[in-house]
Amino acid sequence: MSRLLPAVVFALGLLFAAPPAFAQAQTRAYAPENLRTLSVADQTRVIRLEYAEQSGGRTIPADQLRFYLDQVNRSNWGFSRIKADIAQSLGGNGGTRPPVGGQTIVCESKSNDARRCVPPWRGPSRLVRQLSNSPCVENSTWNSQDRLITVWKGCRGEFAPGTNAQTIRCESKGNDAKRCTPPWRGPSRLVQQLSSSPCVEGRTWNSQDGLITVWKGCRAEFAPRGLGGGNSGNYSVTCGSVGNRYTTCAWNGRYGRPALIQQLSNATCREGISWGYSGNQIWVNNGCRGRFGVR
């Protein structure tokens, strides 16, 4: 019996040592493949954890988080799909990031799924060449934001930096006020809001001759007010989403594409998400109300 005792003790040691390793493995698997089985709060938590793990502790951008939540709950994206897309957005080439020639990038929607591509330039992008049989129509099958292009419904296209090169980015970090000096004289206008915090003229940003000031977390791209020549800078349309409903407002197409000049609502107005332009009409949604003018 005394000879069996050491072997019994060793076996018991292995038995009791196993659960911690197993528990650790279970802890690492912090999300099921089907994220729709989780609450939105838990979906948000696991997506943030995955992004932080892949990026070395960085916080996922608010617009990218909202995109993933939409894909989970509207397009049934699984956790493995989210992980792969995060890896691509952080620098995996996946066939979408390398430039095709000069300052361009190819972004492709496969099997009609939405695909996000990160261009090597700042600011919005424009479609240079459609490469798919499926149409690439801005705000219908593709859109762009600062350093982000999204395509869906089979659109495959070649993209380049947006044509409006005379812009400046000014951002308030940690709610502190930030002053930026643009390379033009005179007042400025908001071209594209980049933050989750609202950018409302007179409330979270303003401009004077040769100076832009932002505060309370506002981050945005700005351009000279009235850019476009002649008297076109005086033309504007106010359009608002009442009760968070989808609304359209007429826009005179001879002035070109509109730009958000002033956000008038507490709800965020973000191009391609809560407002856009199609067929000589401005559309707004999700409570966005703003004044739109010439780019």
Side-chain angles (χ1 to χ4, degrees):
M1 179 66 69
S2 60
R3 293 179 179 178
L4 292 175
L5 185 59
V8 172
V9 171
F10 179 73
L12 288 173
L14 290 177
L15 179 63
F16 287 107
F22 175 76
Q24 183 179 7
Q26 289 292 90
T27 301
R28 288 182 61 82
Y30 49 76
E33 174 62 20
N34 184 4
L35 293 177
R36 297 187 72 176
T37 62
L38 303 177
S39 66
V40 174
D42 283 339
Q43 292 173 7
T44 301
R45 177 180 58 82
V46 299
I47 292 171
R48 282 176 171 164
L49 283 172
E50 181 60 33
Y51 188 92
E53 182 174 315
Q54 290 198 36
S55 66
R58 284 159 46 194
T59 301
I60 186 171
D63 59 344
Q64 189 170 357
L65 176 60
R66 284 195 298 271
F67 172 82
Y68 289 143
L69 290 173
D70 284 345
Q71 295 308 312
V72 167
N73 295 293
R74 295 181 184 180
S75 303
N76 293 320
W77 276 29
F79 187 51
S80 58
R81 180 73 179 274
I82 298 289
K83 290 171 66 175
D85 198 83
I86 288 174
Q88 179 178 316
S89 72
L90 291 171
N93 50 42
T96 60
R97 287 196 56 149
V100 181
Q103 190 81 338
T104 62
I105 185 176
V106 171
C107 195
E108 178 179 9
S109 163
K110 297 181 179 179
S111 303
N112 292 328
D113 292 336
R115 172 62 65 87
R116 296 161 58 90
C117 305
V118 182
W121 55 81
R122 295 178 60 175
S125 305
R126 60 186 173 88
L127 179 68
V128 175
R129 183 162 54 105
Q130 180 177 307
L131 304 174
S132 57
N133 293 324
S134 301
C136 291
V137 180
E138 189 171 7
N139 295 325
S140 294
T141 59
W142 75 272
N143 62 35
S144 76
Q145 302 172 37
D146 182 45
R147 288 189 173 178
L148 182 66
I149 301 168
T150 306
V151 294
W152 62 96
K153 292 184 179 179
C155 166
R156 180 173 183 264
E158 183 180 347
F159 297 87
T163 55
N164 186 6
Q166 195 174 14
T167 62
I168 185 175
R169 181 172 180 169
C170 195
E171 52 188 332
S172 162
K173 296 182 179 179
N175 292 330
D176 293 336
K178 176 66 178 298
R179 293 178 175 84
C180 305
T181 304
W184 56 80
R185 294 183 178 180
S188 305
R189 62 182 175 86
L190 186 146
V191 175
Q192 184 178 17
Q193 179 175 309
L194 306 174
S195 57
S196 298
S197 302
C199 291
V200 181
E201 189 171 8
R203 294 175 59 183
T204 59
W205 76 272
N206 61 34
S207 76
Q208 302 172 7
D209 187 23
L211 186 67
I212 300 169
T213 306
V214 293
W215 63 95
K216 292 185 178 179
C218 168
R219 296 187 298 112
E221 295 275 353
F222 297 89
R225 191 180 294 277
L227 184 66
N231 296 321
S232 62
N234 296 322
Y235 177 71
S236 67
V237 170
T238 297
C239 195
S241 164
V242 179
N244 291 332
R245 293 192 297 272
Y246 181 91
T247 305
T248 59
C249 303
W251 171 265
N252 191 332
R254 72 184 182 89
Y255 290 112
R257 292 187 58 80
L260 178 67
I261 295 175
Q262 182 180 10
Q263 181 174 303
L264 304 173
S265 57
N266 290 325
T268 300
C269 291
R270 182 167 295 176
E271 187 173 5
I273 297 177
S274 56
W275 81 270
Y277 172 69
S278 178
N280 290 339
Q281 285 188 325
I282 297 170
W283 61 264
V284 291
N285 203 2
N286 299 326
C288 165
R289 182 173 181 269
R291 184 165 65 91
F292 301 88
V294 179
R295 287 181 180 268

